[in-house]
């Protein structure tokens, strides 16, 4: 078994490409297929299958339907989030509500959510009740995360704890869910599944912290997206909420001054550095990464599996793009 | 056991009112609660529980979670349909996307869909796999029905068969699903569950045909909604698709003439009557109602249950509002 994102991701990709959709209204499923052609690393299904293989010794393909269910759910949330956030581009391509329309985006997303439940059930047999409980709890948390994210837009008093809770709900719990579904399908004991959930959760937090860091301190030539986007739209990130707590007057001065974009990015970045937040953010990401790795201590698994999970967690906190 | 819509509907209402929602983002669930305070007959959960009681002899409350899951799903579809159709009023009150906003309506609807799956699972134990299969199939059909409905808006060549397929998917399969879930929870044999599914499906078609009839030929003083709304917006109803098949030139003349609303309603209604469609529509509704009743022949159940299902089917096809 080859523990690599590329290998495991391609197993999920092939499965998703082979799905048969209902045929009465094909127009409903064109946007669904489209969301899978626009790229994506298939991180969640890859982690799900890696956990399964590491614990059971069996082929990852055995649970490709459950693993892909998580990706279907993830793409559903991206599709609906893009409508809610009025985002016009994702991964360099027009979003579904732009390419089709809002009604189609809503309805195709609904179908993706129901498809995700179907894929979760496919071949899960007597494990389904457990899978379903984890998946349902996670789904509700992801919605709560998105709701909080939207509510934060109109609030200036978001604390760093609130921000961490929001990103945990919006992004990390689904990675935790992917890992624990893999463990459940392998027939692992509850405490082992919980350790993998913890790994995924902390992995997700490390990943998100690094995202925040890169958006402000990344190398424009490497990062791909424009640097400073979060600052320009006054997004309540970890950096911003920490800066607001430490120097509220300076943050609101920079926000309120109606500076030109480059000047605003420059001013806020300088403030963040003055407060030591560049380092603190980097350290926090690494700390989550270490916690992810520590969560798997004492779990019996092949060396190459442990190495895979370890490297992935380190990369989440240290990547340059 | 009292076989009445009011009694059974109130059991569902009490259950839904007692639901506990996750607490991290209460703003997500205010719209969910709102959709249940704006009225509705709770037809689907009432039918589900009536079938269960008729076949098992047990109290309808035993499956109130499954019955209410269908209502949660139904309200989810109404909520999202209202966003897609840009409907501003439902049952005399502002729709969720008007009272809150589109993003909240999308996200709260998503949460309702996941809640519906959770409620379906609650206490279903080893019956869950069967329930889940019926429910998932139905959900996908409902989405297909809505997709076709939207596609029909921009088409002038919708046949009556296409229309019947669309309304079967959009509205009737969920009533069939509600009935067969009740039968499955009662432990009924597959053929008995299938008969109740057929009852619900035909019941739904009778109901929808009568809706089309009432919208054109109803008594304005009794019907409540304005008469002629379907004609004004050139909706592809049974009447319209039948008329287009029989007299295409006259239909498109009336549609194309840019008549004043009252004149357009008058002209199209006169055409429908000339073609005998008022009678034909009424007869088709009654025929579906009779097919619904016939589907239950040979099913053993208490007399008062059979009377309940029979009266309800007759009322679907003959009601004045």
């Amino acid at each position: 078994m080859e523990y690599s994102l590329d290998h495991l991701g391609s197993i999920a990709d092939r499965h998703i490409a082979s799905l048969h959709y209902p045929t009465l209204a094909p127009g409903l499923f064109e946007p669904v297929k489209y969301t899978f052609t626009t790229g994506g690393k298939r991180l969640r299904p890859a982690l799900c299958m890696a956990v399964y293989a590491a614990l059971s010794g069996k082929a990852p393909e055995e649970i490709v339907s459950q693993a892909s269910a998580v990706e279907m759910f993830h793409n559903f949330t991206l599709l609906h989030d893009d409508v809610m956030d009025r985002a016009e581009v994702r991964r360099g391509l027009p979003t579904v509500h732009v390419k089709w329309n809002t009604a189609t985006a809503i309805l195709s997303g609904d179908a993706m959510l129901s498809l995700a439940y179907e894929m979760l059930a496919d071949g899960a047999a007597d494990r389904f009740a457990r899978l379903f409980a984890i998946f349902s709890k996670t789904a509700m948390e992801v919605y709560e995360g998105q709701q909080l994210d939207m509510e934060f837009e109109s609030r200036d008093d978001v604390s760093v704890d609130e921000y961490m809770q929001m990103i945990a709900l919006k992004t990390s719990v689904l990675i935790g869910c992917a890992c624990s579904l893999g463990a459940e399908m392998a027939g692992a004991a509850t405490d082992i599944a919980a350790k993998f959930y913890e790994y995924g959760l902390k992995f997700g937090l490390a990943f998100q912290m690094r995202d925040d860091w890169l958006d402000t301190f990344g190398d424009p030539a490497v990062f791909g997206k424009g640097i400073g986007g979060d600052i320009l739209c006054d997004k309540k990130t970890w950096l911003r909420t920490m800066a607001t707590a430490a120097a509220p007057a300076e943050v609101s001065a920079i926000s309120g001054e109606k500076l030109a974009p480059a000047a605003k990015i420059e001013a806020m970045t300088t403030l963040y550095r003055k407060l030591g937040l560049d380092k603190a953010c980097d350290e926090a990401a690494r700390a989550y990464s270490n916690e992810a790795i520590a969560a798997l201590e004492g779990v019996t698994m092949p060396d190459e599996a442990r190495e895979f999970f370890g490297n992935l967690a380190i990369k989440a906190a240290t990547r340059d793009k």
Side-chain angles (χ1 to χ4, degrees), chain A:
Chain A
M1 169 34 208
E2 184 191 333
Y3 286 92
S4 85
L5 267 191
D6 281 351
H7 173 65
L8 293 164
S10 70
I11 294 172
D13 266 331
R14 280 196 301 276
H15 179 76
I16 290 165
S18 77
L19 290 175
H20 291 286
Y21 296 98
T23 53
L24 294 174
L28 179 59
F29 300 101
E30 291 307 319
V32 180
K33 294 177 200 163
Y34 176 73
T35 68
F36 289 104
T37 61
T38 59
K41 290 180 298 293
R42 313 295 178 236
L43 170 70
R44 291 157 193 79
L47 276 173
C48 181
M49 289 187 279
V51 172
Y52 174 78
L55 293 178
S56 72
K58 295 185 192 159
E61 286 85 353
E62 304 260 328
I63 63 152
V64 68
S65 185
Q66 285 69 40
S68 303
V70 179
E71 189 71 6
M72 182 64 79
F73 180 84
H74 176 58
N75 272 24
F76 142 70
T77 64
L78 297 181
L79 198 171
H80 272 193
D81 283 2
D82 283 342
V83 181
M84 292 183 238
D85 301 341
R86 296 199 182 86
E88 300 196 344
V89 175
R90 175 168 294 277
R91 297 172 190 145
L93 289 166
T95 49
V96 168
H97 66 105
V98 168
K99 193 171 160 74
W100 282 271
N101 54 57
T102 296
T104 301
I106 294 171
L107 192 61
S108 296
D110 294 345
M112 290 171 85
L113 176 52
S114 284
L115 285 168
Y117 281 103
E118 281 190 24
M119 292 160 74
L120 189 72
D122 189 20
D126 58 347
R127 301 211 187 281
F128 184 52
R130 283 286 305 150
L131 301 191
F132 185 84
I134 299 164
F135 192 80
S136 286
K137 179 172 180 295
T138 302
M140 214 57 72
E141 289 172 341
V142 172
Y143 307 141
E144 291 179 291
Q146 169 70 2
Q147 172 74 18
L148 292 177
D149 196 13
M150 296 194 300
E151 291 177 5
F152 287 178
E153 278 174 34
S154 55
R155 278 181 49 195
D156 280 326
D157 61 344
V158 178
S159 72
V160 71
D161 287 350
E162 285 181 302
Y163 173 72
M164 292 310 297
Q165 182 188 47
M166 183 277 286
I167 60 158
L169 292 168
K170 185 168 170 170
T171 72
S172 303
V173 295
L174 187 59
I175 303 176
C177 170
C179 293
S180 60
L181 291 180
E184 291 286 345
M185 285 301 287
T190 311
D191 66 316
I192 302 295
K195 284 173 191 220
F196 275 103
Y197 182 88
E198 179 77 2
Y199 169 83
L201 190 74
K202 293 293 166 62
F203 174 97
L205 292 173
F207 194 94
Q208 186 62 45
M209 293 292 289
R210 186 67 180 175
D211 236 33
D212 285 8
W213 188 93
L214 285 168
D215 198 89
T216 298
F217 303 108
D219 178 348
V222 184
F223 184 49
K225 300 182 232 179
I227 296 293
D230 289 348
I231 291 174
L232 284 181
C233 62
D234 291 316
K235 199 169 165 198
K236 314 303 188 303
T237 63
W238 187 89
L239 292 165
R240 170 69 174 243
T241 51
M242 288 292 281
T244 301
E250 286 163 273
V251 170
S252 60
I254 297 169
S255 278
E257 259 183 68
K258 303 206 180 236
L259 297 168
K264 182 172 177 179
I265 293 172
E266 171 68 22
M268 196 69 89
T269 305
T270 303
L271 175 63
Y272 288 167
R273 286 194 198 276
K274 197 182 87 179
L275 296 169
L277 294 178
D278 50 339
K279 260 195 172 162
C281 185
D282 179 56
E283 281 164 11
R286 288 170 197 263
Y288 282 124
S289 168
N290 290 336
E291 287 178 39
I293 293 166
L296 301 185
E297 274 169 24
V299 179
T300 306
M301 70 178 98
D303 288 345
E304 65 266 37
R306 189 179 305 280
E307 202 181 327
F308 170 76
F309 293 119
N311 287 341
L312 215 56
I314 291 167
K315 203 179 155 198
T318 57
R319 68 210 156 86
D320 291 322
K321 61 176 182 176

